[in-house]
Amino acid sequence: MRSLLLILALALAGCAVTPKAYDLSAAAPALSARGTLAHGALAHGALAVEASAEPPLDGDVIVIRTANGLERLGGAQWAETLPRLAQSRVTQSLENAGWRVEDSAAARLRVSIRRFEVDSVRREVLVELEAQLSGAARVFSAREPIGEISGAEPAQALDRAFSRVLADLARWTVASR
């Protein structure tokens, strides 16, 4: 009897659907540097990056905004919590622009994820980040149209919008220092 229960439990566990994990991209050197930023960026020293978000954006959930409120995109999630993933990609984008990013640096770039969602009513994604550096602050945002709100399309559209925001953020960061 015990072995039958164990086999049944393993069979049921095998039926559980694991959500597909999606990653985000950093801004490419050509996008963030535009040919001029990388040359003088290191003269500004090192920079530390911190990213944060309020619930529900502080987890690995891909958020869908519907007419009735916020929901989770079924069968999909981020590869890490969104703040960790965003911090990693902001760091990579700044390094692509010629910055030296170190946790112990005195200068801190604080990035707050304000919106990172699929709007099912408008059929678009919206990425909005607020950045603070050396007393200056700016909000960066990008929208991207979306056809299907299922499968890989929502994560891919969010990634495209995020990459555009990162390119703008990298240019602003260099200009602010």
Side-chain angles (χ1 to χ4, degrees), residues 97-117:
W99 282 95
R100 198 176 65 236
V101 180
E102 300 173 353
D103 290 339
S104 61
R108 296 220 175 277
L109 173 65
R110 290 180 172 81
V111 177
S112 177
I113 303 166
R114 294 170 49 158
R115 305 275 298 270
F116 212 97
E117 64 195 32

Side-chain angles (χ1 to χ4, degrees), residues 91-168:
T91 297
Q92 287 177 325
S93 297
L94 292 174
E95 289 172 343
N96 288 345
W99 282 95
R100 198 176 65 236
V101 180
E102 300 173 353
D103 290 339
S104 61
R108 296 220 175 277
L109 173 65
R110 290 180 172 81
V111 177
S112 177
I113 303 166
R114 294 170 49 158
R115 305 275 298 270
F116 212 97
E117 64 195 32
V118 177
D119 187 326
S120 67
V121 175
R122 293 189 170 138
R123 306 298 282 189
E124 67 182 9
V125 301
L126 173 60
V127 172
E128 186 176 279
L129 306 179
E130 179 181 8
Q132 298 176 354
L133 176 65
S134 302
R138 183 166 167 199
V139 174
F140 299 90
S141 65
R143 295 175 185 273
E144 182 81 20
I146 186 168
E148 294 296 319
I149 303 178
S150 62
E153 193 167 346
Q156 292 169 346
L158 284 162
D159 184 40
R160 287 189 302 271
F162 184 61
S163 290
R164 288 200 326 266
V165 165
L166 288 181
D168 291 343

